[in-house]
């Protein structure tokens, strides 16, 4: 697609969501706010505040271990692939994203281990990870989880209606603070968790099924349209140009629209699903639940596999073009990037790649994630007090 050419089919709104990464990050952040707040909110509404606080203390510890350990293992595997030359082809193909995210091997054995250690640290300090750059989201998602726990503790004794008001105020605060990645998504998820246990809301939805069916369907379509906003050149299409002009009026000055629109669209979509029983039923199917269970493993594995396995499947049979000649100083120019032999190759390799990706993700979920959970539980048993394990002590007076 360009300014003068029509878009491809997969670049149209709704369809383009299948290949966009930022909506996935926004939805994961919303679900983090929802899932992490669900149980403590239920307990505080039932009056079991001490148990809610004890659960938050343990959840904060477990969340950290179960987030960091799998990421360490995934980074180490990608580091090994890199050091043994697994990304060599990826650094020479025509795809700019594959080239730019494919690191070179370290110059020495000692330097390789230093680079691994450094990237394991920077993943959680500034989001930098040369061996798996998409892990930049993990430190923000972990901070978001801690933000949920902090808010739950701070509002544990607040009445539910005023707690929802606090969520709204904090949502506006993070909106104005230009935090579309975590802040606004976390509090949208917490509000959904609060509405789940609100009897007045649930009763109103049950008493007016047709109104909420129409409203939720409209929200789902509006959310999907909004989160289709392109990351680059929204002015090239009429539908995204309208969103571009709207963004100047609703987003903070200097905001990155390509961050805000996926977040806003994901929130609208999730609220539409929340009020739609049919959508809930579809999303709770066994197939989609299985895909959801695989999602974190797919997230950790897909980028290294794209730069290695998929790159070899697509470009392995291609040859690098010769040098285009010499420059004005008589120096040979570097050869061009390795092209894709045929775009038809995508139709055969992508299904096979996704099958292998989800097969490996299933193995990861079956063996690696349980090991990380056991390791976290072992540390918990060593460092937690007995009375906190039994949840008999009052954490806060």
């Amino acid at each position: 697609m360009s300014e003068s050419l029509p878009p491809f089919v997969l670049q149209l709104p709704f369809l383009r969501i299948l290949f966009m990464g930022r909506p996935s990050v926004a939805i994961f952040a919303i679900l983090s706010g929802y899932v992490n707040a669900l149980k403590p909110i239920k307990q505080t509404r039932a009056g079991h505040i001490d148990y809610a606080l004890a659960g938050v203390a343990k959840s904060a510890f477990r969340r950290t271990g179960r987030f960091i350990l799998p990421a360490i293992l995934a980074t180490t595997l990608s580091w090994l692939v890199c050091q043994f030359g697994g990304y060599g082809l990826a650094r020479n193909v025509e795809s700019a994203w594959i080239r730019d995210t494919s690191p070179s091997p370290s110059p020495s054995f000692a330097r390789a281990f230093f680079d691994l250690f450094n990237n394991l640290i920077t993943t959680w300090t500034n989001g930098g990870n040369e061996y798996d750059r998409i892990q930049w989201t993990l430190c923000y998602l972990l901070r978001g989880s801690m933000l949920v726990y902090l808010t739950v503790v701070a509002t544990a004794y607040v009445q539910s209606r005023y707690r929802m008001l606090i969520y709204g105020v904090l949502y506006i605060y993070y909106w104005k603070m230009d935090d579309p990645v975590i802040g606004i998504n976390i509090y949208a998820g917490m509000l959904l968790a609060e509405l789940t246990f609100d009897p007045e809301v649930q009763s109103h939805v049950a008493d007016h099924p047709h109104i909420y069916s129409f409203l939720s369907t409209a929200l789902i379509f509006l959310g999907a349209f909004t989160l289709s906003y392109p990351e680059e050149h929204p002015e090239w299409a009429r539908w995204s140009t309208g969103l571009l002009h709207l963004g100047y009026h609703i987003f903070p000055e200097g905001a990155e629209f390509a961050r805000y629109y996926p977040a806003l669209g994901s929130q609208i979509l999730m609220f539409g699903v929340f009020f739609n029983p049919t959508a809930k039923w579809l999303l709770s199917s066994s197939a989609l639940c299985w895909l959801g269970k695989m999602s974190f493993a797919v997230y950790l594995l897909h980028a290294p596999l794209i730069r290695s396995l998929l790159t070899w499947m697509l470009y392995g049979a291609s040859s690098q073009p010769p040098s285009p000649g010499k420059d004005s100083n008589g120096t040979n120019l570097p050869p061009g990037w390795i092209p894709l032999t045929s775009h038809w190759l995508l139709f055969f390799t992508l299904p096979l790649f996704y099958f292998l990706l989800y097969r490996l993700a299933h193995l990861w979920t079956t063996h690696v994630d349980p090991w990380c959970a056991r390791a976290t539980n072992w540390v918990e048993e060593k460092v937690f007090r007995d009375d906190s394990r039994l949840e008999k002590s009052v954490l806060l007076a």
Side-chain angles (χ1 to χ4, degrees), residues 247-317:
Y248 288 117
H249 298 285
I250 64 174
F251 297 138
E253 184 178 356
E256 187 179 355
F257 293 2
R259 295 284 184 193
Y260 267 93
Y261 270 123
L264 181 61
S266 298
Q267 294 162 21
I268 296 173
L269 177 68
M270 297 291 281
F271 274 90
V273 171
F274 179 82
F275 291 112
N276 193 305
T278 303
K280 286 183 178 180
W281 176 77
L282 290 173
L283 291 175
S284 62
S285 64
S286 57
L288 291 180
C289 287
W290 183 85
L291 290 175
K293 185 180 179 181
M294 300 296 112
S295 60
F296 189 49
V298 170
Y299 175 81
L300 292 175
L301 296 174
H302 80 279
L305 288 175
I306 287 175
R307 298 194 301 266
S308 54
L309 177 62
L310 182 60
T311 298
W312 281 99
M313 293 168 67
L314 293 175
Y315 297 96

Side-chain angles (χ1 to χ4, degrees), residues 293-298 360-370:
K293 185 180 179 181
M294 300 296 112
S295 60
F296 189 49
V298 170
L360 291 173
H362 175 70
L363 294 174
W364 183 283
T365 305
T366 304
H367 300 286
V368 178
D369 283 346

Side-chain angles (χ1 to χ4, degrees), residues 144-214:
S145 299
M146 298 303 125
L147 192 61
V148 173
Y149 301 138
L150 177 61
T151 306
V152 167
V153 172
T155 60
Y157 290 93
V158 178
Q159 297 180 47
S160 58
R161 67 181 66 179
Y162 296 110
R163 193 160 54 220
M164 287 189 281
L165 178 61
I166 291 172
Y167 298 159
V169 172
L170 290 171
Y171 182 96
I172 296 172
Y173 170 78
Y174 281 100
W175 180 283
K176 300 297 290 184
M177 284 288 293
D178 195 13
D179 183 9
V181 177
I182 294 301
I184 61 175
N185 291 317
I186 287 296
Y187 287 108
M190 293 189 72
L191 181 58
L192 282 173
E194 199 77 55
L195 294 176
T196 301
F197 301 111
D198 192 290
E200 295 182 4
V201 172
Q202 297 301 324
S203 176
H204 198 272
V205 173
D207 293 340
H208 304 84
H210 299 295
I211 295 177
Y212 278 95
S213 177
F214 172 78

Side-chain angles (χ1 to χ4, degrees), residues 358-397:
Y358 275 89
R359 178 57 181 165
L360 291 173
H362 175 70
L363 294 174
W364 183 283
T365 305
T366 304
H367 300 286
V368 178
D369 283 346
W371 179 86
C372 294
R374 289 194 299 270
T376 302
N377 291 339
W378 179 83
V379 176
E380 178 184 334
E381 292 176 357
K382 294 295 182 183
V383 302
F384 270 44
R385 291 169 40 171
D386 290 340
D387 55 353
S388 66
R389 195 179 304 125
L390 293 173
E391 295 185 353
K392 291 183 178 180
S393 62
V394 177
L395 297 184
L396 295 177

Side-chain angles (χ1 to χ4, degrees), residues 3 12 45 49 51 56 80 83 131 159 164 209 239 267 284-285 287 299 302 306 325 328-329 333 378 380:
E3 190 171 6
L12 295 173
R45 279 178 170 264
I49 297 178
Y51 287 98
V56 166
L80 286 171
Q83 302 305 326
Y131 299 107
Q159 297 180 47
M164 287 189 281
W239 67 270
Q267 294 162 21
S284 62
S285 64
Y299 175 81
H302 80 279
I306 287 175
S328 58
N329 297 323
L333 295 172
W378 179 83
E380 178 184 334

Side-chain angles (χ1 to χ4, degrees), residues 199-255:
E200 295 182 4
V201 172
Q202 297 301 324
S203 176
H204 198 272
V205 173
D207 293 340
H208 304 84
H210 299 295
I211 295 177
Y212 278 95
S213 177
F214 172 78
L215 177 63
S216 60
T217 302
L219 288 175
I220 290 172
F221 278 97
L222 176 62
F225 177 78
T226 304
L227 62 84
S228 300
Y229 187 83
E231 296 182 12
E232 296 179 347
H233 300 295
E235 70 279 2
W236 285 359
R238 183 176 300 176
W239 67 270
S240 54
T241 300
L243 292 176
L244 176 65
H245 294 322
L246 177 63
Y248 288 117
H249 298 285
I250 64 174
F251 297 138
E253 184 178 356

Side-chain angles (χ1 to χ4, degrees), residues 21 24-25 28 67 71 74 132-139 141 294-304 357-358 361:
S24 301
V25 175
F28 197 94
F67 236 68
D132 195 359
R133 294 191 181 182
I134 64 164
Q135 287 194 26
W136 70 268
T137 62
L138 294 182
C139 67
L141 291 171
M294 300 296 112
S295 60
F296 189 49
V298 170
Y299 175 81
L300 292 175
L301 296 174
H302 80 279
L357 171 61
Y358 275 89

